[in-house]
Amino acid sequence: MKLVINTDPRLLHIVRSVIRYYAQEAGFPEADVDCLAMAINEAASNVIRHAYDNRPDARFSLEVKSFPDRIEFVLEDDGRKVKPEAIRPRSLDDVRPGGLGTYFIRCFMDESSYDSTFTGGNRLRMVKYFSRRVSSSDEGSSQERG
Amino acid sequence: MKLVINTDPRLLHIVRSVIRYYAQEAGFPEADVDCLAMAINEAASNVIRHAYDNRPDARFSLEVKSFPDRIEFVLEDDGRKVKPEAIRPRSLDDVRPGGLGTYFIRCFMDESSYDSTFTGGNRLRMVKYFSRRVSSSDEGSSQERG
Amino acid sequence: MKVQVRNVDNVSVIDCSGDVDLYSSTDLRGTLLKEMRSGKPNVLVNMTGVSYIDSSGIATLVEGLQLSRETKTRFGLFGLRSNARSVLELARLHTVFAIFDNEKEALEKIATTEPFGGL
Amino acid sequence: MKVQVRNVDNVSVIDCSGDVDLYSSTDLRGTLLKEMRSGKPNVLVNMTGVSYIDSSGIATLVEGLQLSRETKTRFGLFGLRSNARSVLELARLHTVFAIFDNEKEALEKIATTEPFGGL
Ligand SMILES: Nc1ncnc2c1ncn2[C@@H]1O[C@H](COP(=O)(O)OP(=O)(O)O)[C@@H](O)[C@H]1O
Ligand SMILES: Nc1ncnc2c1ncn2[C@@H]1O[C@H](COP(=O)(O)OP(=O)(O)O)[C@@H](O)[C@H]1O
C-alpha cells in the first residue's frame, strides 16, 4: 500500500486508519496494532512539524510492505534534511512538552533509520518483526537513529 | 494525492475521508463534498465487485488532482477490463437492488470515462468543475460512458 | 456501522448507526432478511444514526422491500437524515418505501400501512 | 475531537472526546491554558471519551501541568482509558499528574490535592 498526501495534521487520522488496517491484516495483536499506528502517526507528525515547519500543503509518502517475518514502513518527504544526530529522544526524567515522538517510535519499532543515500528530503524506514527480537543491537545503535 | 490500497470494502471509509478532505480543500460546498465522496466510493466499490469479483487482496489506485477550474479523480485497477457498453445505469422506473452506482457517479460528476488506451485493467477518469457546466454534451454521450 | 434489533410489541426495530457501505451493508442485509424470514409481521429500520448510505445500502433496503412482499411483512424506514433522504430521492425510491419521520410515528402507523404493491 | 468546558462548583471540567493528535491537540491546548490563565482554582481534564492520545496530546497536558504551577491552579486528569494510561506510563509521566479514576473521585479530591512540586 502506498499513500501520498498533504502534510496536513487533519489527515493524520487517515494515516492511523490505514496503518491499523495493514497491521491487523498482517496478523499483529491489537496492542501492537495500536502501537504501530501511533509510531507512524508520530513519524508523520515529525515530518509535518520538523521537515516542513507545519506547512500543510507539502507532500509526503507512506509505504507499507508486509513480509513473512515483518512489516516495513517507509516515510518519504521532500522537506528539510534531518540531521540524524539532532534526533535525540528526551531523557525520561525531563518533564517538558516534546521529545516524546521519537521515543515512542523507538519503543514500538524494532528498527528505525534514515536512509543517508536518499537524494530527496528524508527517507525513514521502520520495521516491526512478528515476534519482537530483543538483542543488544536493537537496544543500541540501530534504534538511536530513529 | 495518491493512494494505492487493497480492494477491501473495509477500506472504503478511508477513500471517502480522503476525498472529503481534498474536495473541501478545493473549495467545494459541503453538499458537493458529500456527492464527490459518494461518487468515488461507488467507483471504488465497482472496482472491488466487478473488476476483481470481491477479491480483497488485489490493489487499486486513486489519484486526486486539483486544477483552477476543476478537480479530477483517476481510479486505476489491474482487474478484468470493463466493457464500457456493458455499463448501463438501470432505468429509474426499475425497482431492483443494483444499478445505482454508475447512476450516482453520472449524477455527481461532470465527466466520467474509461481510458481505452490504458494497457492495465481499467483507468476511470472523473471530473467535477467548480461551477457545474450544464451543456448538451454533458447530459449526453460524455456521461453515458461513466 | 452497528446493527441491533429491538422488539417493540409486535414490531422488530432494526437500529442502524454509522456508515452503510459495501462493507457494512452485509450486516444490515443479514439482519433485515433474517427478521423478515422469521415471520415478524412488522419490520422497521431506524436510520436515525445513519450518517452515510451508498448504493449498496440502498440496494439492501430494496432487497428488504422485495422480500417483504413475499413474506407479507409490513416494512418501513424512519429517522432518515437529510443526506439519506436525498440519496433515496435521487434514486427515485423515496416513494416506494414507507418512510416515517420518527419512531413514534412509525410504531403508530406501521400496522395500518398498506402492504406495498409498487414492485 | 470535541472539547467542552463545564463548571462544577469551583472546578472547571474540560470534557475531551475522540482522538487527540497534532491536529486536535491545539483545541485542547487553547482551552486548557485559557482556563488556567483565567484564574480558575481547579482544572480537571475528563479523558473518558479519549480513544487515542499521541505525543502532541501528552505534550499539551505537560504544558498544562507547567502552567498550573505558575498560576497556582490545582490540575488533574480523570477517566483515562487503558491506552491513554499506557501511553502516560510509557512516557513515565503517570506519576507527575494527579490522576483520578472518575469524575466523582476527582471532584472530591482535587481541592485537597497537594499542588505539584515535581517539575
Ligand atoms: N522528521 C524530522 N525532521 C527533522 N527533525 C526531526 C524529525 N523528527 C524529529 N526531529 C528532531 O528530533 C527532535 C525530537 O523529536 P520528537 O521526539 O518527535 O519530539 P519533538 O518533536 O516534540 O521535539 C525534534 O525536536 C527535532 O529536532
Ligand atoms: N469497474 C467495473 N468493472 C466492470 N464492470 C463494471 C464496473 N463498474 C460497473 N460495471 C458494470 O456496470 C453495471 C452497473 O453498475 P452499477 O450501476 O454500479 O450497479 P451494480 O454494480 O449494482 O450492478 C454492473 O452491474 C457491471 O456490469
Side-chain angles (χ1 to χ4, degrees), chain D residues 74-88:
Chain D
R74 288 175 204 266
F75 175 49
L77 317 175
F78 71 86
L80 279 80
R81 297 196 198 172
S82 68
N83 51 355
R85 193 175 285 270
S86 307
V87 168
L88 275 180

Side-chain angles (χ1 to χ4, degrees), chain B residues 9-10 12-13 16 34 37-38 41-42 45 48-49 90 92 95-98 100-101 103-104 107-108, chain C residues 19 21-23 52-56 58-60 62-63 65-66 83 87 90-93 96 118-119:
Chain B
R10 287 190 287 157
L12 287 170
H13 75 101
R16 295 193 296 273
D34 287 344
M38 182 153 179
N41 173 84
E42 297 295 342
S45 299
I48 295 172
R49 294 167 59 222
R90 66 113 183 247
L92 285 178
V95 178
R96 60 172 175 89
L100 279 172
Y103 171 71
F104 287 148
C107 290
F108 298 148
Chain C
D19 289 12
D21 68 3
L22 186 60
Y23 172 54
Y52 175 86
I53 184 163
D54 74 358
S55 71
S56 65
I58 302 288
T60 300
V62 171
E63 221 182 319
L65 186 62
Q66 291 175 327
N83 51 355
V87 168
L90 191 64
R92 312 260 166 91
L93 289 169
V96 303
L119 298 190

Side-chain angles (χ1 to χ4, degrees), chain A residues 8-10 12-13 16 34 37-38 41-42 45 48-49 54 90 92 94-98 100-101 103-104 107-108, chain D residues 19-23 52-56 58-60 62-63 65-66 83 87-93 96 118-119:
Chain A
D8 189 326
R10 287 190 287 157
L12 287 169
H13 74 101
R16 295 193 296 272
D34 286 344
M38 183 153 178
N41 173 84
E42 297 295 343
S45 299
I48 295 173
R49 293 167 58 222
N54 296 306
R90 66 111 184 250
L92 284 178
D94 187 11
V95 178
R96 60 171 174 91
L100 279 173
Y103 170 72
F104 288 147
C107 290
F108 298 146
Chain D
D19 288 13
V20 185
D21 67 3
L22 186 59
Y23 173 54
Y52 175 86
I53 184 163
D54 74 359
S55 71
S56 65
I58 302 287
T60 299
V62 171
E63 222 183 316
L65 187 61
Q66 292 175 327
N83 51 355
V87 168
L88 275 180
E89 282 172 11
L90 191 65
R92 313 259 168 91
L93 289 169
V96 304
L119 298 188

